[in-house]
């Protein structure tokens, strides 16, 4: 009996629990219903062909929902009038038992529409940026209208619900309920009384699209522009190439023909597709960057195209020139969803990269097309100016000294772009500049008396060795046979400014190369007096050489002997000219005057008797000797 009673008692508790649960569920549903939407907002947007229009917002609140609002319709209307952020309030009306509040937003175009919607969104604490576009028919691409906008009717009325909640006008309403208190109703868009269908709905980062347009587009469009290599001239030649299916063309042949004709600027040239062709081409006349952008708008049924080219030295390297190209093109209409746009620059070969390896004859090298990314940001092409040719004249003597003269050349136009001041500062002190026939050459020389000085002098010139300083060594192997080892090349900083056109001339002073023993590059050529190496900016070379001419010691000895011999000759001449005096000094006859040969001088003294002594020895009657003197 107790067991039965207990069982009965258990059933009663179970029934009670289920009843309580049901009551709680009903209460919860009631609470949800109490907090359910208090109304609905419908939207109708009427647009004229020129893009102007008006959006009408109608907020409908049923009689039962109105009971949840403290003060009813009067409270709603006063809230709208007090907090309205820019809409036009048209008033309150009754629709049966429902109350309808009407607001409108007028606009002159898509930009004005978005601008006026922005403060309304902000008043509802929405952070999105209002966006709207209106696209009229653009034959042959579109036969109807399209409207896009990224805001809804509920977005435009959120401010009113927010104000009612914050002022505690809605029973049991809270801030978290704001987005649930007003439902999105019907939304319509008409243009010139023609309905547009909604093809997509707005999302967090996307816009809703209404359209009645049937669209076609090109399969592809290519835009190539020439003239960017000389922006100072501000003259550009643009070519637009269209790819279009033949069937699509034939379906709207008159419209496409009219479009191509209108897209061809005065002075331009249109090349239509053949009878079965699919490619059309328009070549603009040469024009400024601004003109080219305007013609592009027409050629692609768009607006806002921008084309510009600017050239400026690189901030970090005076040898580099930056060309900044902006090529902004919107191809939404002409390219559609399935077409693609390709943009490019037609420039001379070597337009970017290093000029050191650019073709010498640009006209013969021709042009190439480099791709452009498009967009609003500039695309930078860097042209590094370098020396076109390099020559190295290396002289080595038997003591391991010698000289190295390097010459670097570039066109005068490139020299002007970099400036002689920058080039000389780069190459270093002692650099000399010369110009001939439009080519500028910079020369610098290093000299050293012996092997100890040569590596340091070469380093100052800009050379390194295979591992460490440059190496120039001369080994005397006897019998006039020598071995010369070379390991040197320009350093990395200098190498970056050089092309592939390089020549070495290696010769000896007092040495004649006789054989190349080792050549790492394999390009050394032995001549009668010199070794030449082409296409290299360094040499790893070993060669044998024979003695030529006299050594410096022998030459010095010869000079000394010649100096002594000259001194002896000079002494002999002086002695000859003063022989009489010297004889007198040596013979002791001091009374005799020194004999000096020369015109007007007395003859030298002899051992014969004087004239007086001879006369005294003659007889008295001896006549005096005849004489020529008076």
């Amino acid at each position: 009996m107790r067991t039965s009673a207990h069982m009965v008692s258990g059933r009663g508790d179970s029934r009670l629990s289920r009843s309580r649960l049901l009551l709680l569920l009903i209460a919860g549903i009631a609470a949800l219903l109490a907090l359910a939407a208090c109304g609905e907002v419908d939207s109708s947007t009427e647009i004229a062909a020129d893009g102007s229009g008006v959006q009408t917002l109608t907020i409908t609140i049923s009689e039962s929902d109105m009971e949840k609002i403290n003060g009813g319709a009067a409270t709603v209307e006063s809230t709208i009038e007090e907090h309205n952020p820019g809409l036009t309030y048209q008033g309150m009306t009754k629709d049966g038992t429902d109350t309808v509040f009407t607001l409108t937003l007028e606009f002159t175009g898509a930009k004005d529409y978005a601008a006026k919607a922005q403060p309304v969104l902000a008043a509802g604490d929405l952070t999105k940026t209002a966006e709207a576009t209106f696209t009229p028919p653009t034959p042959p691409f579109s036969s109807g209208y399209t409207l896009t906008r990224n805001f809804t009717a509920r977005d435009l009325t959120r401010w009113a619900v927010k104000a009612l909640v914050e002022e505690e006008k809605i029973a049991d309403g809270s801030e978290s309920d704001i987005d649930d208190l007003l439902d999105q109703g019907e939304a319509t868009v008409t243009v010139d009384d023609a309905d547009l269908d909604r093809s997509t709905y707005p999302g967090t980062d996307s816009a809703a699209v209404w359209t009645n347009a049937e669209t076609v587009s090109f399969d592809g469009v290519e835009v190539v522009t020439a003239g960017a290599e000389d922006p100072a001239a501000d003259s550009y030649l643009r070519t637009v190439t269209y790819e279009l299916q033949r069937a699509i063309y034939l379906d709207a042949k008159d419209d496409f023909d009219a479009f191509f004709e209108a897209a061809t600027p005065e002075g331009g040239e249109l090349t239509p597709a053949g009878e079965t062709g699919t490619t059309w081409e328009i070549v603009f006349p040469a024009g400024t960057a601004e003109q080219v952008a305007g013609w592009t708008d027409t050629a692609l049924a768009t607006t806002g195209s921008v084309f510009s080219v600017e050239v400026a030295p690189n901030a970090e390297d005076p040898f580099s020139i930056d060309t900044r190209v902006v090529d902004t093109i919107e191809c939404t209409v002409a390219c559609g969803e399935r077409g693609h746009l390709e943009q490019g620059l037609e420039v001379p070969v070597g337009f970017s990269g290093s000029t050191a390896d650019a073709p010498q004859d640009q006209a013969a090298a021709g042009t190439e097309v480099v791709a452009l990314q498009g967009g609003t940001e500039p695309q930078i092409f860097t042209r590094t100016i370098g020396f076109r040719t390099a020559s190295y004249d290396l002289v080595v003597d038997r003591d391991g000294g010698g000289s190295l003269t390097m010459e670097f050349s570039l066109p005068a136009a490139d020299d002007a772009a970099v400036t002689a001041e920058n080039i000389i500062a780069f190459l270093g002190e002692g650099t000399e500049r010369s110009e001939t026939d439009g080519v500028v050459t910079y020369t610098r020389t290093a000299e050293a008396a012996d092997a100890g000085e040569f590596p340091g002098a070469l380093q100052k010139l800009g050379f390194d060795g295979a591992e460490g300083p440059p190496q120039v060594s001369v080994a005397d192997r006897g019998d006039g046979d020598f071995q010369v080892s070379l390991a040197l090349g320009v350093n990395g900083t200098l190498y970056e400014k050089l092309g592939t056109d390089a020549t070495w001339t290696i010769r000896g002073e007092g040495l004649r190369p006789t054989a190349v023993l080792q050549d790492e590059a394999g390009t050394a050529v032995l001549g009668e007096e010199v070794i030449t190496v082409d296409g290299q900016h360094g040499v790893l070379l070993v060669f044998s050489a024979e003695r030529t001419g006299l050594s410096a010691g022998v030459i010095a000895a010869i000079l000394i002997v010649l100096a002594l011999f000259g001194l002896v000759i000079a002494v002999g001449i002086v002695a000859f000219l003063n022989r009489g005096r010297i004889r007198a000094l040596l013979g002791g006859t001091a009374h005799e005057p020194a004999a000096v040969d020369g015109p007007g001088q007395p003859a030298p003294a002899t051992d014969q008797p004087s004239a007086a002594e001879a006369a005294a020895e003659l007889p008295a009657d001896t006549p005096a000797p005849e004489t020529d003197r008076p």
Side-chain angles (χ1 to χ4, degrees):
M1 183 66 79
R2 289 176 183 165
T3 303
S4 297
H6 179 73
M7 291 177 64
V8 171
S9 176
R11 290 194 187 97
D13 292 342
S14 177
R15 291 194 186 97
L16 182 60
S17 298
R18 285 196 296 270
S19 298
R20 289 178 177 176
L21 180 60
L22 182 59
L23 290 173
L24 290 173
L25 180 60
I26 293 172
I29 293 174
L32 288 174
L33 290 174
L35 294 176
C38 291
E40 183 178 80
V41 57
D42 298 319
S43 168
S44 65
T45 306
E46 298 175 353
I47 305 175
D50 63 359
S52 62
V54 57
Q55 181 177 7
T56 301
L57 304 169
T58 55
I59 302 173
T60 302
I61 303 177
S62 66
E63 185 177 14
S64 59
D65 288 335
M66 191 67 76
E67 294 177 355
K68 303 172 188 177
I69 301 175
N70 298 331
T75 297
V76 175
E77 186 169 54
S78 63
T79 300
I80 291 174
E81 292 175 342
E82 181 180 352
H83 298 279
N84 188 350
L87 300 175
T88 300
Y89 179 52
Q90 301 294 343
M92 176 179 63
T93 61
K94 295 291 289 186
D95 183 10
T97 59
D98 296 338
T99 305
V100 179
F101 304 88
T102 303
L103 301 100
T104 58
L105 174 60
E106 295 184 9
F107 51 87
T108 58
K111 289 184 178 180
D112 184 53
Y113 190 12
K116 288 180 176 178
Q118 188 62 58
V120 180
L121 299 180
D125 280 352
L126 296 175
T127 58
K128 71 171 69 176
T129 299
E131 297 177 357
T133 64
F134 178 71
T135 307
T138 52
F141 307 106
S142 171
S143 58
Y145 297 89
T146 300
L147 171 70
T148 68
R149 63 186 176 202
N150 68 340
F151 48 87
T152 65
R154 194 163 65 170
D155 291 338
L156 294 175
T157 53
R158 191 178 191 274
W159 58 271
V161 180
K162 174 176 173 288
L164 288 171
V165 170
E166 289 179 346
E167 294 176 0
E168 300 180 352
K169 302 299 183 180
I170 299 177
D172 298 324
S174 65
E175 188 174 347
S176 61
D177 302 323
I178 292 176
D179 292 322
D180 299 320
L181 292 174
L182 193 62
D183 284 338
Q184 176 71 52
E186 183 182 4
T188 62
V189 176
T190 60
V191 178
D192 278 353
D193 297 327
D195 292 335
L196 273 59
D197 297 325
R198 180 157 51 186
S199 59
T200 63
Y201 288 80
T204 304
D205 298 317
S206 63
V209 178
W210 281 263
T211 184
N212 63 356
E214 294 183 4
T215 61
V216 295
S217 64
F218 294 111
D219 296 322
V221 176
E222 182 183 45
V223 180
V224 177
T225 310
E229 69 277 8
D230 186 16
D234 195 20
S235 178
Y236 304 95
L237 191 67
R238 172 162 284 186
T239 301
V240 182
T241 305
Y242 308 87
E243 288 293 333
L244 177 64
Q245 294 180 34
R246 192 72 187 175
I248 294 178
Y249 167 70
L250 293 176
D251 285 343
K253 181 179 182 301
D254 292 342
D255 286 338
F256 273 109
D257 287 344
F259 166 77
F260 286 128
E261 183 178 353
T264 305
E266 182 179 356
E269 182 179 356
L270 167 65
T271 303
E275 292 184 0
T276 60
T278 60
T279 303
W280 282 256
E281 181 182 88
I282 296 177
V283 179
F284 295 169
T288 65
E290 184 177 358
Q291 288 175 320
V292 166
W295 294 332
T296 302
D297 280 346
T298 304
L300 294 180
T302 187
T303 58
S305 296
V306 176
F307 182 73
S308 66
V309 182
E310 296 180 353
V311 175
N314 185 282
E316 298 179 357
D317 182 5
F319 280 78
S320 294
I321 307 298
D322 291 339
T323 301
R324 294 175 170 83
V325 180
V326 176
D327 192 19
T328 305
I329 300 175
E330 175 61 54
C331 195
T332 301
V333 174
C335 298
E337 295 181 359
R338 59 187 181 84
H340 61 277
L341 172 67
E342 295 182 0
Q343 297 163 250
L345 288 180
E346 183 180 358
V347 293
V349 173
F351 171 71
S352 59
S354 175
T355 63
D357 296 323
Q360 295 288 342
D361 188 348
Q362 289 285 359
T367 61
E368 61 182 348
V369 176
V370 296
L372 285 176
Q373 298 172 356
T376 58
E377 294 299 318
Q379 187 169 341
I380 301 176
F381 297 88
T382 299
R383 177 173 173 262
T384 300
I385 295 176
F387 299 103
R388 296 292 186 92
T389 62
S391 65
Y392 309 93
D393 187 5
L394 176 63
V395 179
V396 181
D397 60 32
R398 290 195 293 265
D399 295 324
S403 65
L404 191 152
T405 299
M406 62 182 189
E407 294 184 346
F408 300 136
S409 300
L410 74 168
D414 288 349
D415 179 74
V418 182
T419 74
E421 180 182 1
N422 284 329
I423 294 177
I424 292 174
F426 172 76
L427 293 177
E429 185 179 356
T431 301
E432 297 180 355
R433 180 186 182 277
S434 61
E435 182 175 350
T436 304
D437 297 331
V439 177
V440 179
T441 300
Y442 289 87
T443 305
R444 194 175 173 206
T445 300
E447 295 179 329
D450 54 40
E453 298 179 1
F454 214 178
L458 293 172
Q459 277 188 309
K460 291 180 180 180
L461 204 60
F463 285 83
D464 289 331
E467 295 180 359
Q471 296 179 8
V472 178
S473 62
V474 179
D476 187 348
R477 300 192 294 188
D479 297 328
D481 184 26
F482 293 82
Q483 179 173 299
V484 181
S485 299
L486 304 175
L488 69 157
V490 297
N491 59 33
T493 302
L494 187 55
Y495 184 80
E496 291 178 352
K497 310 303 182 198
L498 304 174
T500 57
D501 189 351
T503 302
W504 284 79
T505 301
I506 302 169
R507 51 195 174 89
E509 183 178 338
L511 295 172
R512 178 186 294 112
T514 57
V516 176
L517 304 179
Q518 182 180 349
D519 175 20
E520 292 294 331
T523 59
V525 177
L526 177 65
E528 291 185 3
E529 299 288 339
V530 300
I531 295 174
T532 58
V533 179
D534 290 333
Q536 305 293 327
H537 292 287
V539 288
L540 285 172
L541 189 65
V542 179
F543 63 91
S544 60
E546 62 182 4
R547 176 197 291 267
T548 61
L550 299 174
S551 67
V554 172
I555 292 175
I558 291 174
L559 291 175
I560 293 173
V561 170
L562 290 175
L564 292 174
F565 182 71
L567 180 61
V568 170
I569 291 175
V571 170
I573 291 173
V574 172
F576 176 76
L577 294 175
N578 294 277
R579 61 185 180 278
R581 182 178 295 175
I582 293 172
R583 184 182 298 115
L585 292 173
L586 295 176
T589 56
H591 64 278
E592 294 181 357
V596 179
D597 292 332
Q601 300 295 331
T606 67
D607 294 335
Q608 295 180 357
S610 65
E613 292 175 338
E617 293 179 358
L618 290 176
D621 56 350
T622 302
E626 295 182 358
T627 176
D628 293 335
R629 296 179 180 179

